[in-house]
Amino acid sequence: MIASSSNPAEIAELLAFYASAGVDEALEDAPINRFAEASRPKQSERPAAATTPVRESRSQEIPSSPARSDQGGITERQAPSPGLDASNVPDAPVRTATAAVPDEAQAALARQMAASASTLEELRRHMEAFDGCNLKATAKHLVFADGNPEATLMLVGEAPGRDEDIEGLPFVGRSGRLLDRMLAAIGLDRTSVYIANVIPWRPPGNRTPTPHETEICRPFIERQIELVNPKVLVNLGGPSAKTLLNTSEGILRLRGNWRAHTTASGIAIPAMPTLHPAYLLRTPAHKKLAWRDFLEVKAKLRALG
Ligand code: URA
């Protein structure tokens, strides 16, 4: 934060402005002059000692990922999606970030680490040791999952927001409380469902995860679904539905219709795309649509025994 005033009242006002604009944490203690950075020599031109250090692996057994070669060529900051909420606006245009090509080495490592996990605990350890996603650098916690790993119903959202990052659990903020009420309406709670996100680290400022970040994280959530092996999957919001159902259709078209999520071992899990609770908080008139979707889910669980 840059404050040109030393007047406490003005600083308090500036802080209040930042808070209302959704800026809830400083990523660095000191401001960075990006203009000065542009005139510095490129990494490849700098002496070896000045290169980015490789992050230390958090696990002895699991190979840490190599230092990221780049940040995916992303040159523009993406707009924040409040509480990851804006990203769940139905039928919002799919973002085509400048990073169209995922860092294949990191995605390949993620696939390898995900596939080699034979239990959920092992998967969590592998994800904790994985350094190939830049989001991990700014997140406080890995947000792995909440609920019952034996559950027959698994719900997958997009990515953690601020509250989830602080607590290390998915859907604990305002949208989480609405999700709890929606589950209660069909007789379920967190002891009878399993909840996770496509992206397990909070994007800074709740910005929309880039396609690059999504591709890197995808193997982990796919393996998590495979290990939980639920009878029914619910995709909360467009990003979860698009990623896990391999479609580019908007959530308003997708919702309410059964699809299938096919695991790496070829099992087709019935999947119900529905509206994200954060979207419902902003558009309460659509709660009735989500209600219908949840009734479908209840009926399907009953039919599948
Ligand atoms: N939104 C999500 O998609 N996931 C969370 O965990 C919280 C908000």
Side-chain angles (χ1 to χ4, degrees), residues 83-85 88 143 157-161 164 169-172 175 197 236 276 278:
L84 279 224
D85 302 353
N88 292 296
V143 176
E158 182 187 11
E164 290 76 21
L169 290 170
F171 284 99
V172 291
S175 50
N197 281 306
L236 297 168
H276 193 283

Side-chain angles (χ1 to χ4, degrees), residues 3-251:
S4 55
S5 166
S6 56
N7 176 335
E10 280 178 17
I11 292 175
E13 207 174 302
L14 181 61
L15 281 173
F17 167 77
Y18 280 142
S20 64
V23 180
D24 50 35
E25 64 188 308
L27 296 182
E28 306 284 346
D29 289 338
I32 298 170
N33 184 346
R34 298 283 180 203
F35 293 105
E37 273 196 344
S39 59
R40 271 197 233 142
K42 286 193 195 123
Q43 181 124 348
S44 54
E45 294 158 9
R46 278 187 241 152
T51 55
T52 315
V54 176
R55 236 176 191 260
E56 232 176 66
S57 169
R58 296 191 190 174
S59 154
Q60 298 301 311
E61 309 114 47
I62 304 154
S64 81
S65 48
R68 297 185 56 68
S69 53
D70 61 44
Q71 297 298 310
I74 298 159
T75 52
E76 61 174 10
R77 274 184 80 92
Q78 295 195 334
S81 68
L84 279 224
D85 302 353
S87 56
N88 292 296
V89 173
D91 300 335
V94 178
R95 276 174 182 279
T96 47
T98 44
V101 183
D103 184 342
E104 188 42 43
Q106 302 302 333
L109 183 61
R111 282 196 291 277
Q112 186 195 320
M113 289 173 83
S116 67
S118 51
T119 63
L120 287 169
E121 252 334 288
E122 207 179 335
L123 181 66
R124 181 202 284 268
R125 286 203 304 277
H126 287 200
M127 288 165 71
E128 271 163 358
F130 181 70
D131 287 335
C133 180
N134 55 312
L135 295 177
K136 183 180 176 181
T138 48
K140 288 186 173 60
H141 287 109
L142 168 77
V143 176
F144 183 71
D146 195 15
N148 183 351
E150 309 281 310
T152 50
L153 176 62
M154 176 166 177
L155 301 104
V156 181
E158 182 187 11
R162 180 173 180 270
D163 296 323
E164 290 76 21
D165 186 36
I166 292 170
E167 292 200 30
L169 290 170
F171 284 99
V172 291
R174 268 186 85 215
S175 50
R177 288 193 288 280
L178 175 57
L179 178 61
D180 287 340
R181 291 199 296 277
M182 290 158 74
L183 288 170
I186 56 166
L188 299 172
D189 62 19
R190 289 185 190 226
T191 64
S192 50
V193 303
Y194 185 82
I195 309 175
N197 281 306
V198 169
I199 307 276
W201 295 284
R202 181 200 183 194
N206 291 353
R207 68 160 168 77
T208 300
T210 65
H212 173 85
E213 290 156 352
T214 302
E215 279 316 299
I216 288 175
C217 295
R218 175 202 285 272
F220 293 121
I221 184 63
E222 288 185 343
R223 185 68 181 140
Q224 204 167 352
I225 295 170
E226 200 171 23
L227 289 169
V228 174
N229 192 23
K231 285 187 177 161
V232 172
L233 183 70
V234 168
N235 300 97
L236 297 168
S240 167
K242 287 176 187 170
T243 307
L244 297 172
L245 307 178
N246 283 319
T247 174
S248 56
E249 275 179 75
I251 189 68

